[in-house]
Amino acid sequence: MNRRELFKSASALAVAGFLPKMAFASTNGPDDPNTGPRETLLLDKGWRFHDGDIPMPVLITHDQTYNAAKAGRALGAASPSYDDSDWQEVTLPHDFVSFQSIENGTNVDQGYRRRGIVWYRNHLKFSNADRGKHIELQLDGIATFATIWFNGTLVARNWSGYNSTYIDLTPYVIYGDGDNSLVVRVDATAMEGWWYEGGGIYRDAWIVKRNPVHIVTDGVFAHPVPDPKSPADWKIPVEVMLNNAGKSATEVTVVSELWDGTIGLLATEKTTATVAPLGNAVVRLDLFYNRPRLWSPADPQLYRVETYILNGDKRLDAVTATCGFRTERFDAKTGFYLNDKPLKIKGVCLHQDHAGVGCAVPEGVLDFRLRKLKELGANAIRFSHNAQNKTLMDACDRHGFLVMAENRNFNASPAYLEQLEWLVRRDRNHACVFLWSVFNEEPMQGTEQGYEMVRRMSAVVKALDTSRPVTAAMNDGLFTALNVSDAVDVVGINYQQHQYDAFHAAHPDIPMFSSEDTSAFMTRGEYKTDTQKHIMASYDDDDDAAPWGETHRAAWKEISARPFVAGTFVWTGFDYHGEPTPHTWPTNSSFFGIMDLCGFEKTAFSIHQAQWIDDKPVLGLAPHWNWQAGDKVRVMACSNLDEVELFVNGRSAGRQAVDRLNMNYWTVDYAPGFIEVRGYRGGKVVSKVRNETTGKAVALRLVKDRQTLTGDGRDAMPVRVEAIDAKGRVVPDANHKVTFGGTAAIIGLGNGDPNCLEAEKGDTRSLFNGLAQVIIQAPDMAGNPAGLVNLVAKADGLKPANIEIRLDAPKVAIPHQPTTAPMMVLDSWFRAPDATERPDPNQKAADTDMNSWAWFRPGELFGAAKADGYSLVAANYTPFASVQKAGGRITFASITGACEVYLDGQPIGKKDDPAPGPLTVTIPPFAGARRLSILFKVTTGAPFGFGDLIRVGGPPGA
């Protein structure tokens, strides 16, 4: 039985429980740049950015119209010869929307930040050694609609801000000293969601150079499957898709190996295949291993599947896929099982943005966010409502989160099914992925049309992966005669807590879970709701939940009491930009988060720790203890212990049995000093938390998330900024404006205040309730031999703070794709018919004559002349603005033959020696387009022409 038959047979058995004892694995991830002949080069530098659209030139003449319709002849800012020398230099990832000011009147769901159309350009170099390789451009994410040109040819359009674009550049590359122009026009006026989506090339870009015979991108599927008769024995059916960009059929040996980081090689297998030129081939083989260490949130054990192809003894290509052994199944009556053990899903919904950086979130900040969720006690994440950064998926594998991977667009047309197919292909190897979600809250979910759409979308998923169930997040239509619940394996329910029992009674054999719930409001550090100021109290009261949702306590109470509800995904783990609810301007981010935009904990953090953590003591205390004399203060304790007791200035206010669902409360009179809660287990105190009345703020304190940064120019970390009193206690109502400096590169600022209108870029940010956050990025150690950076924080009336962060050398250096500064290369020329009499150097072809003058590109000589005479060649061009203003030079790297050089009909240089050699001529200042003509004097039997590049530059020294 082959892999697909095995999966489909298992799928057919799943009725009440989906795929008992089935398991699956990891990701193809970013390829190891040091494996085999493959080169995976980061293309994050050399980019130039223009904010705003640049209209294409209006075509008037026949010549313009004819040429604009040809490959390599893109116009305007898409042209290889376009002058981008004065554009802003940027480094990817780049979310241009995160740089915009917050302006009333712009889109509320985008956090009142202007979007629009922008352009990016880059200039790439490929050596002669690259000739013959398969060269692919990988753009991990562009928001939103993208048009991509390479060397003046439109090579791709992308219609989603969340999927990657893979482009075969091989047919278009110019090798050697030539300039390769890469141009991306981004239309971010288009929106796919109702939350902050960012804009621009906000994920990484890569150039991948491979042997002509290679493994395609996302082309390895390595998926552990237990033997149904002997669960200790496992098989990994490996599927490998090969491509041959070469000119002849090639026979290869395909080898797959299973590796453990500690033990070493565990299993190996190989097979052979023949790949036709410009064709694909799919090969399958099996790896066997018994008694693996199983992957789980508590123990996220990963293995590696190394797959490589050989031609004889020569290694042509190699790919590494991380792999996790595990099983999963959903039971309609008793919930979810991981590795045959019941596991309640304790998840959160997440958007992809973070304070200060928008959607261009560095990997170090992604890691910080996942560590905070681990601390929370979460074991699952629903990525709402779109594909995520592939490095984030890798991190979920490592940290041990179950992931509900969600498709963005509910559409069964071919273009949108391709987006869904891409998502499954890229992520189907991840150990973390346990659900494929095809939509969220669609109006058609309760209709026959919706059912038919999901039936087709589900078929696309199952054609690629039958190991995980297909689900959808439904907020209505659960009881219509035909709806999408009839086309999915597991039903996700959004907010319909009152329908859990009714749906289960009507469909006792359909597994279900809460795909989204809660939607409760909190403002970090605030304990009195003030609708005029757009402040939401942090006690999780009924009045502070959305009309469609419930409090954090009530939502979990509904789920924990029902075994048939497999678990929860709380809306949301972190606050996010945009979709401000229940308030609008000046509120520009959400209140829903268990943590705020910076990842600072709200009271909901302690509530969920008390609800979700069983293996260690939890004790949380709210509020702070800075109040006014005469205030009656409600005190809240969150614990998983047996009993809690509150003390006010050392006097007991009462001891209570812990209520993990509802939490524990006291109302006491405020008196300066402290409150302390003590947690008991077995009658003994096992934990204490104290909140003290602070003095006024006297100093700033900076707290690093980690002790070191990797000095690769990419690693980043959030730094916590605190206002403290004379005893070092955080002052909970301090709101000073802080200015930052030092040698550390600041890429973002935040404070977690949903109502703050301050810029998230720059060097100044106010504290909010005692806290702020600075995101710093490491330099490349090659440019920082000291191996240290520092951050300084200053505020009026407070003692400044200064910290140093050590830079660690990268364990594996990420190679970069070579780029070059903008330069004008004259690579589009026309040659007049040869003449025996000296022609007029000003002559041109008629506007409608596309044939008598032959187009050519410099780099190869014309060959031996057939008769003595003359050959006229010409090029039309518009110099860069700096050359138009100050003049410059034209450099011919190599001319063969005697010739005269004319600019707009005026002689500007000559070469009398027919031997190959360089020539430089000076051009005067001139605004607008120019015509460069070269008149060769040719001799019978002698070669002539341009043997190399022709460049237009500024004056010497410019």
Side-chain angles (χ1 to χ4, degrees):
M1 182 180 292
N2 65 30
R3 177 190 62 81
R4 194 171 301 282
E5 290 169 342
L6 175 64
F7 286 171
K8 289 187 180 297
S9 297
S11 180
L13 295 174
V15 181
F18 185 86
L19 293 179
K21 302 183 181 179
M22 298 298 288
F24 26 88
S26 72
T27 175
N28 290 1
D31 302 308
D32 183 346
N34 299 316
T35 301
R38 173 182 293 214
E39 292 181 88
T40 302
L41 308 174
L42 184 62
L43 182 55
D44 65 339
K45 299 185 185 302
W47 290 92
R48 291 177 178 266
F49 170 74
H50 176 81
D51 191 348
D53 197 13
I54 302 175
M56 289 293 183
V58 177
L59 302 176
I60 302 296
T61 70
H62 175 74
D63 181 68
Q64 293 169 340
T65 308
Y66 180 89
N67 286 310
K70 302 300 180 181
R73 296 301 186 87
L75 299 177
S79 169
S81 62
Y82 186 82
D83 182 3
D84 60 20
S85 57
D86 63 347
W87 285 18
Q88 178 187 357
E89 295 183 32
V90 299
T91 299
L92 303 186
H94 181 251
D95 175 4
F96 82 89
V97 180
S98 71
F99 290 81
Q100 307 300 319
S101 58
I102 303 170
E103 299 175 2
N104 197 4
T106 52
N107 186 277
V108 57
D109 285 336
Q110 296 301 319
Y112 299 103
R113 288 166 174 83
R114 183 183 61 81
R115 294 167 67 80
I117 298 173
V118 299
W119 290 76
Y120 294 85
R121 288 176 56 92
N122 209 330
H123 303 267
L124 282 54
K125 303 288 287 186
F126 294 93
S127 72
N128 286 317
D130 291 327
R131 184 175 277 109
K133 296 179 181 178
H134 180 272
I135 299 175
E136 183 176 80
L137 169 65
Q138 298 180 358
L139 297 163
D140 286 348
I142 306 172
T144 302
F145 296 162
T147 308
I148 302 151
W149 294 266
F150 188 73
N151 286 338
T153 296
L154 198 160
V155 292
R157 286 189 174 98
N158 185 48
W159 304 109
S160 174
Y162 299 105
N163 67 287
S164 299
T165 304
Y166 308 142
I167 305 169
D168 180 7
L169 299 181
T170 314
Y172 317 103
V173 171
I174 299 169
Y175 301 96
D177 291 332
D179 178 35
N180 292 266
S181 71
L182 174 59
V183 183
V184 183
R185 179 184 184 268
V186 183
D187 180 359
T189 56
M191 291 176 280
E192 294 177 272
W194 50 94
W195 57 88
Y196 177 88
E197 297 187 284
I201 310 177
Y202 72 99
R203 293 181 185 166
D204 287 327
W206 308 85
I207 292 290
V208 181
K209 303 176 183 178
R210 295 178 273 214
N211 190 280
V213 182
H214 58 274
I215 301 169
V216 304
T217 304
D218 302 331
V220 173
F221 187 18
H223 182 106
V225 180
D227 185 336
K229 297 181 180 178
S230 178
D233 297 325
W234 291 71
K235 179 172 74 173
I236 307 178
V238 181
E239 180 181 281
V240 185
M241 180 175 285
L242 308 175
N243 175 262
N244 183 358
K247 299 179 178 63
S248 59
T250 304
E251 182 175 335
V252 297
T253 300
V254 182
V255 183
S256 278
E257 300 170 343
L258 178 65
W259 288 81
D260 175 82
T262 303
I263 301 172
L265 182 63
L266 304 175
T268 185
E269 190 55 74
K270 62 183 179 180
T271 189
T272 60
T274 298
V275 194
L278 297 180
N280 294 331
V282 177
V283 299
R284 296 178 176 87
L285 46 83
D286 297 322
L287 296 170
F288 296 91
Y289 188 57
N290 64 344
R291 301 189 185 282
R293 185 171 152 191
L294 301 184
W295 183 97
S296 70
D299 183 18
Q301 171 66 23
L302 294 172
Y303 295 79
R304 301 193 317 276
V305 174
E306 307 275 359
T307 301
Y308 54 94
I309 54 177
L310 302 171
N311 182 234
D313 294 331
K314 181 181 179 182
R315 180 177 287 209
L316 303 183
D317 196 14
V319 165
T320 299
T322 53
C323 162
F325 291 80
R326 67 172 182 80
T327 67
E328 73 160 283
R329 62 185 172 92
F330 280 87
D331 187 282
K333 296 179 176 60
T334 56
F336 177 70
Y337 291 78
L338 183 70
N339 300 328
D340 273 341
K341 297 178 181 178
L343 182 70
K344 201 75 168 182
I345 298 165
K346 302 169 181 175
V348 299
C349 299
L350 288 186
H351 284 310
Q352 62 179 352
D353 60 305
H354 189 85
V357 292
C359 292
V361 186
E363 188 172 355
V365 179
L366 294 175
D367 188 78
F368 161 79
R369 288 164 66 90
L370 293 186
R371 285 186 279 111
K372 293 300 296 183
L373 292 176
K374 274 289 181 180
E375 184 184 345
L376 173 68
N379 60 21
I381 302 172
R382 176 194 178 200
F383 286 124
S384 310
H385 306 283
N386 49 265
Q388 300 292 307
N389 191 321
K390 63 185 179 183
T391 60
L392 178 54
M393 301 299 292
D394 293 336
C396 288
D397 283 341
R398 296 192 307 269
H399 283 281
F401 284 99
L402 294 165
V403 166
M404 176 175 166
E406 192 154 82
N407 174 60
R408 169 72 294 268
N409 292 296
F410 185 47
N411 194 318
S413 63
Y416 289 96
L417 291 181
E418 287 178 7
Q419 292 179 17
L420 175 59
E421 180 178 346
W422 165 83
L423 170 66
V424 178
R425 281 191 182 277
R426 192 198 69 170
D427 290 344
R428 61 185 175 170
N429 284 334
H430 281 286
C432 62
V433 175
F434 81 122
L435 283 168
W436 298 114
S437 173
V438 294
F439 74 72
N440 172 71
E441 296 183 359
E442 288 292 336
M444 298 173 67
Q445 60 199 339
T447 67
E448 178 184 4
Q449 292 79 16
Y451 163 79
E452 288 293 345
M453 290 168 68
V454 170
R455 197 164 68 88
R456 286 158 175 77
M457 297 174 81
S458 180
V460 167
V461 174
K462 291 180 183 297
L464 297 168
D465 178 24
T466 56
S467 64
R468 303 166 177 88
V470 174
T471 189
M474 299 181 66
N475 66 333
D476 198 4
L478 291 164
F479 299 101
T480 58
L482 185 64
N483 60 70
V484 298
S485 70
D486 297 301
V488 297
D489 305 300
V490 180
V491 173
I493 298 178
N494 286 13
Y495 300 108
Q496 307 297 301
Q497 292 94 337
H498 60 287
Q499 302 283 21
Y500 291 163
D501 294 333
F503 184 83
H504 182 59
H507 306 282
D509 295 327
I510 297 181
M512 60 179 284
F513 68 103
S514 175
S515 42
E516 186 173 322
D517 58 59
T518 307
S519 280
F521 308 129
M522 287 189 187
T523 304
R524 175 190 49 84
E526 298 288 349
Y527 299 93
K528 293 181 180 179
T529 294
D530 187 334
T531 57
Q532 295 299 313
K533 294 182 179 180
H534 295 193
I535 292 173
M536 312 301 294
S538 296
Y539 285 112
D540 199 39
D541 289 331
D542 292 342
D543 292 342
D544 295 322
W548 61 86
E550 295 191 67
T551 65
H552 292 274
R553 294 164 299 124
W556 179 247
K557 189 174 183 179
E558 298 278 359
I559 292 159
S560 62
R562 291 171 171 80
F564 61 84
V565 180
T568 182
F569 288 96
V570 176
W571 191 266
T572 53
F574 295 81
D575 280 338
Y576 53 94
H577 296 89
E579 197 182 10
T581 310
H583 303 294
T584 54
W585 182 265
T587 306
N588 54 83
S589 70
S590 75
F591 292 90
F592 295 120
I594 295 171
M595 291 169 275
D596 68 17
L597 265 170
C598 299
F600 300 144
E601 303 94 334
K602 303 180 187 180
T603 307
F605 193 91
S606 294
I607 291 173
H608 284 288
Q609 282 187 316
Q611 293 171 339
W612 289 353
I613 295 176
D614 298 318
D615 58 354
K616 61 182 180 182
V618 169
L619 187 60
L621 176 63
H624 58 73
W625 205 237
N626 282 22
W627 297 91
Q628 299 295 320
D631 284 348
K632 286 192 174 294
V633 183
R634 188 180 180 198
V635 178
M636 180 181 185
C638 309
S639 183
N640 63 357
L641 299 171
D642 298 339
E643 296 177 297
V644 285
E645 185 174 9
L646 178 69
F647 291 83
V648 180
N649 292 328
R651 178 175 296 178
S652 175
R655 185 163 168 172
Q656 303 175 11
V658 164
D659 188 340
R660 292 183 68 179
L661 293 176
N662 297 307
M663 306 301 120
N664 294 84
Y665 299 89
W666 300 260
T667 299
V668 298
D669 293 326
Y670 171 72
F674 69 89
I675 53 173
E676 180 178 277
V677 64
R678 299 175 186 175
Y680 298 84
R681 176 164 288 166
K684 296 182 179 179
V685 175
V686 296
S687 185
K688 298 179 181 179
V689 177
R690 175 181 288 198
N691 291 347
E692 298 179 349
T693 306
T694 69
K696 69 175 184 178
V698 298
L700 294 171
R701 181 165 60 202
L702 298 174
V703 182
K704 296 176 283 188
D705 173 55
R706 292 175 280 135
Q707 292 304 306
T708 64
L709 282 168
T710 301
D712 59 1
R714 286 170 55 81
D715 191 18
M717 76 160 72
V719 175
R720 180 183 176 106
V721 186
E722 301 174 341
I724 58 175
D725 70 2
K727 294 184 177 180
R729 300 170 297 194
V730 176
V731 180
D733 52 0
N735 295 299
H736 300 70
K737 183 165 286 190
V738 184
T739 300
F740 303 96
T743 59
I746 297 172
I747 61 172
L749 304 165
N751 61 17
D753 180 4
N755 303 308
C756 186
L757 298 177
E758 296 174 2
E760 294 193 356
K761 305 294 184 181
D763 63 359
T764 303
R765 185 73 173 186
S766 294
L767 300 170
F768 176 61
N769 289 339
L771 302 176
Q773 186 176 82
V774 183
I775 299 175
I776 60 172
Q777 190 160 52
D780 190 326
M781 284 193 71
N784 190 320
L788 287 172
V789 294
N790 77 306
L791 179 67
V792 177
K794 299 179 180 179
D796 289 345
L798 303 182
K799 182 181 178 180
N802 185 354
I803 57 168
E804 287 188 338
I805 302 99
R806 190 178 78 247
L807 301 177
D808 291 336
K811 293 180 180 179
V812 177
I814 301 177
H816 286 71
Q817 165 64 33
T819 62
T820 186
M823 64 176 178
M824 174 166 281
V825 177
L826 300 184
D827 62 354
S828 182
W829 290 74
F830 289 88
R831 180 185 177 190
D834 290 345
T836 56
E837 300 295 330
R838 178 185 174 88
D840 180 356
N842 288 314
Q843 71 172 281
K844 301 177 182 179
D847 182 54
T848 56
D849 180 0
M850 304 299 156
N851 298 293
S852 61
W853 286 59
W855 179 88
F856 72 93
R857 175 176 284 162
E860 294 185 18
L861 301 182
F862 293 123
K866 296 180 180 179
D868 291 353
Y870 297 89
S871 183
L872 177 65
V873 299
N876 296 313
Y877 74 101
T878 300
F880 286 178
S882 58
V883 176
Q884 293 187 47
K885 181 178 180 180
R889 63 195 185 280
I890 299 176
T891 302
F892 301 83
S894 177
I895 294 183
T896 299
C899 65
E900 300 169 0
V901 183
Y902 294 85
L903 184 65
D904 297 330
Q906 300 299 313
I908 59 171
K910 62 185 297 186
K911 178 175 177 289
D912 295 322
D913 185 353
L919 176 66
T920 298
V921 296
T922 300
I923 53 177
F926 185 90
R930 316 214 68 173
R931 183 175 178 85
L932 182 67
S933 304
I934 314 295
L935 181 61
F936 286 96
K937 185 175 182 181
V938 300
T939 303
T940 303
F944 68 98
F946 305 129
D948 210 330
L949 295 179
I950 303 164
R951 293 186 173 93
V952 181

